Amino acid sequence: MILILGLIILIAAVVIGLAGIFGNTGPGHGLGAGGDFSIFGYHATGSTGALFLIGIIVGAAALLGLALVVMGVRRSARRSARTRRETGTSRREAKAIARENEHAREREELIRQRDDARAETAARDDAPAGTAAPVTDAPPDAPRGRGHWFGHRTAHR
Protein backbone atom coordinates (compact mmCIF):
# COMPACT_ATOMS: atom_id res chain seq x y z
CA MET A 1 0.00 0.00 0.00
CA ILE A 2 2.83 2.37 0.89
CA LEU A 3 4.57 1.46 -2.33
CA ILE A 4 1.50 2.29 -4.42
CA LEU A 5 0.91 5.59 -2.58
CA GLY A 6 4.56 6.55 -3.09
CA LEU A 7 4.36 5.73 -6.80
CA ILE A 8 1.23 7.86 -7.18
CA ILE A 9 2.81 10.86 -5.43
CA LEU A 10 6.07 10.50 -7.37
CA ILE A 11 4.32 10.21 -10.73
CA ALA A 12 2.07 13.20 -9.96
CA ALA A 13 5.10 15.34 -9.03
CA VAL A 14 6.92 14.33 -12.21
CA VAL A 15 3.85 15.05 -14.36
CA ILE A 16 3.34 18.48 -12.77
CA GLY A 17 7.01 19.33 -13.18
CA LEU A 18 7.11 18.23 -16.84
CA ALA A 19 3.84 20.07 -17.59
CA GLY A 20 5.32 23.23 -16.11
CA ILE A 21 8.46 22.89 -18.19
CA PHE A 22 6.90 21.98 -21.53
CA GLY A 23 3.83 24.24 -21.20
CA ASN A 24 5.88 27.38 -20.71
CA THR A 25 8.49 27.34 -23.43
CA GLY A 26 9.10 30.01 -25.98
CA PRO A 27 10.02 33.70 -25.96
CA GLY A 28 6.71 34.95 -24.55
CA HIS A 29 7.11 33.09 -21.24
CA GLY A 30 10.09 34.85 -19.77
CA LEU A 31 9.60 35.63 -16.10
CA GLY A 32 12.04 38.48 -16.13
CA ALA A 33 9.86 40.34 -18.63
CA GLY A 34 6.77 40.20 -16.36
CA GLY A 35 5.23 37.15 -18.09
CA ASP A 36 3.07 34.72 -16.23
CA PHE A 37 3.62 31.02 -15.67
CA SER A 38 0.85 28.44 -16.06
CA ILE A 39 0.44 24.82 -15.00
CA PHE A 40 -2.75 23.01 -16.07
CA GLY A 41 -4.51 26.29 -16.65
CA TYR A 42 -3.48 27.85 -13.32
CA HIS A 43 -1.63 31.10 -14.00
CA ALA A 44 1.03 32.14 -11.55
CA THR A 45 1.81 35.78 -12.05
CA GLY A 46 4.52 37.37 -10.12
CA SER A 47 8.10 36.77 -9.40
CA THR A 48 10.65 34.09 -9.83
CA GLY A 49 10.45 33.57 -6.05
CA ALA A 50 6.88 32.28 -6.39
CA LEU A 51 7.96 29.98 -9.17
CA PHE A 52 10.89 28.82 -7.04
CA LEU A 53 8.50 28.10 -4.13
CA ILE A 54 6.24 26.06 -6.41
CA GLY A 55 9.31 24.13 -7.61
CA ILE A 56 10.32 23.41 -4.01
CA ILE A 57 6.84 22.09 -3.22
CA VAL A 58 6.81 19.86 -6.31
CA GLY A 59 10.34 18.63 -5.50
CA ALA A 60 9.38 17.89 -1.88
CA ALA A 61 6.35 15.92 -3.08
CA ALA A 62 8.60 13.97 -5.46
CA LEU A 63 11.05 13.29 -2.62
CA LEU A 64 8.23 12.12 -0.36
CA GLY A 65 6.94 9.81 -3.10
CA LEU A 66 10.42 8.41 -3.69
CA ALA A 67 10.95 7.83 0.04
CA LEU A 68 7.64 5.94 0.25
CA VAL A 69 8.59 3.81 -2.76
CA VAL A 70 11.97 2.92 -1.23
CA MET A 71 10.34 2.15 2.14
CA GLY A 72 7.79 -0.13 0.47
CA VAL A 73 10.46 -1.96 -1.51
CA ARG A 74 12.57 -2.53 1.62
CA ARG A 75 9.57 -3.85 3.52
CA SER A 76 8.76 -6.25 0.69
CA ALA A 77 12.38 -7.40 0.51
CA ARG A 78 12.50 -8.05 4.27
CA ARG A 79 9.25 -9.99 4.11
CA SER A 80 10.53 -12.11 1.21
CA ALA A 81 13.84 -12.79 2.98
CA ARG A 82 12.00 -13.86 6.14
CA THR A 83 9.77 -16.15 4.08
CA ARG A 84 12.81 -17.68 2.35
CA ARG A 85 14.51 -18.24 5.71
CA GLU A 86 11.39 -19.89 7.14
CA THR A 87 11.04 -22.05 4.04
CA GLY A 88 14.69 -23.10 4.28
CA THR A 89 14.28 -23.89 7.98
CA SER A 90 11.18 -26.00 7.36
CA ARG A 91 12.94 -27.85 4.53
CA ARG A 92 15.93 -28.57 6.78
CA GLU A 93 13.58 -29.79 9.52
CA ALA A 94 11.75 -32.03 7.04
CA LYS A 95 15.06 -33.50 5.85
CA ALA A 96 16.15 -34.10 9.45
CA ILE A 97 12.88 -35.87 10.23
CA ALA A 98 13.24 -38.00 7.10
CA ARG A 99 16.80 -38.92 8.14
CA GLU A 100 15.59 -39.81 11.64
CA ASN A 101 12.85 -42.00 10.18
CA GLU A 102 15.39 -43.72 7.92
CA HIS A 103 17.71 -44.33 10.89
CA ALA A 104 14.79 -45.70 12.90
CA ARG A 105 13.91 -48.10 10.07
CA GLU A 106 17.54 -49.21 9.81
CA ARG A 107 17.73 -49.66 13.59
CA GLU A 108 14.52 -51.75 13.58
CA GLU A 109 15.89 -53.86 10.73
CA LEU A 110 19.14 -54.48 12.63
CA ILE A 111 17.21 -55.39 15.78
CA ARG A 112 15.05 -57.80 13.78
CA GLN A 113 18.17 -59.40 12.24
CA ARG A 114 19.79 -59.70 15.69
CA ASP A 115 16.67 -61.32 17.13
CA ASP A 116 16.50 -63.75 14.19
CA ALA A 117 20.18 -64.64 14.65
CA ARG A 118 19.67 -65.20 18.40
CA ALA A 119 16.64 -67.38 17.73
CA GLU A 120 18.63 -69.38 15.16
CA THR A 121 21.55 -69.80 17.58
CA ALA A 122 19.21 -70.87 20.38
CA ALA A 123 17.54 -73.38 18.07
CA ARG A 124 20.94 -74.76 17.02
CA ASP A 125 22.12 -75.05 20.65
CA ASP A 126 18.88 -76.75 21.75
CA ALA A 127 19.00 -79.31 18.90
CA PRO A 128 19.81 -82.90 19.98
CA ALA A 129 23.28 -84.25 19.22
CA GLY A 130 23.76 -85.82 15.82
CA THR A 131 21.31 -83.59 13.96
CA ALA A 132 22.43 -81.52 11.03
CA ALA A 133 23.39 -77.90 11.61
CA PRO A 134 21.18 -75.32 9.93
CA VAL A 135 22.33 -73.97 6.61
CA THR A 136 23.89 -70.48 6.76
CA ASP A 137 25.03 -68.08 4.07
CA ALA A 138 28.58 -67.87 5.44
CA PRO A 139 31.23 -70.33 4.17
CA PRO A 140 32.34 -72.92 6.76
CA ASP A 141 35.87 -71.48 7.09
CA ALA A 142 34.70 -67.86 7.63
CA PRO A 143 35.89 -66.36 10.91
CA ARG A 144 33.28 -65.68 13.53
CA GLY A 145 32.95 -62.21 14.99
CA ARG A 146 35.28 -59.38 14.11
CA GLY A 147 38.66 -60.56 12.97
CA HIS A 148 41.86 -58.68 13.77
CA TRP A 149 44.91 -58.55 11.58
CA PHE A 150 47.40 -59.09 14.37
CA GLY A 151 45.60 -61.71 16.40
CA HIS A 152 43.31 -61.25 19.36
CA ARG A 153 43.38 -58.04 21.29
CA THR A 154 44.33 -58.27 24.91
CA ALA A 155 42.92 -56.02 27.58
CA HIS A 156 45.32 -53.46 28.98
CA ARG A 157 45.62 -53.56 32.74
Side-chain angles (χ1 to χ4, degrees):
M1 183 69 183
I2 291 175
L3 181 68
I4 295 171
L5 179 64
L7 281 174
I8 291 171
I9 293 172
L10 182 63
I11 290 172
V14 168
V15 167
I16 290 171
L18 289 176
I21 291 171
F22 291 121
N24 296 295
T25 58
H29 291 286
L31 285 178
D36 58 350
F37 187 83
S38 64
I39 298 175
F40 297 123
Y42 174 75
H43 294 285
T45 57
S47 66
T48 54
L51 179 61
F52 184 70
L53 182 62
I54 292 170
I56 288 175
I57 293 170
V58 170
L63 186 62
L64 175 68
L66 185 63
L68 289 175
V69 167
V70 169
M71 191 170 61
V73 167
R74 282 187 181 169
R75 181 181 289 180
S76 297
R78 272 191 309 237
R79 196 176 310 140
S80 328
R82 185 176 55 236
T83 303
R84 281 193 305 270
R85 271 194 310 272
E86 289 172 357
T87 302
T89 302
S90 64
R91 285 181 184 164
R92 282 191 298 273
E93 289 173 354
K95 285 181 183 178
I97 290 171
R99 278 194 303 264
E100 288 175 11
N101 289 341
E102 180 65 28
H103 290 308
R105 280 194 294 270
E106 290 175 0
R107 196 171 29 252
E108 289 172 2
E109 178 64 23
L110 288 174
I111 290 171
R112 187 187 59 76
Q113 290 175 0
R114 182 194 64 196
D115 292 344
D116 290 347
R118 282 184 180 170
E120 182 180 315
T121 303
R124 192 174 342 126
D125 290 344
D126 292 342
T131 59
V135 178
T136 61
D137 293 339
D141 57 342
R144 294 182 156 231
R146 294 186 335 177
H148 299 284
W149 285 13
F150 302 110
H152 294 288
R153 289 185 182 172
T154 56
H156 295 283
R157 296 182 194 231

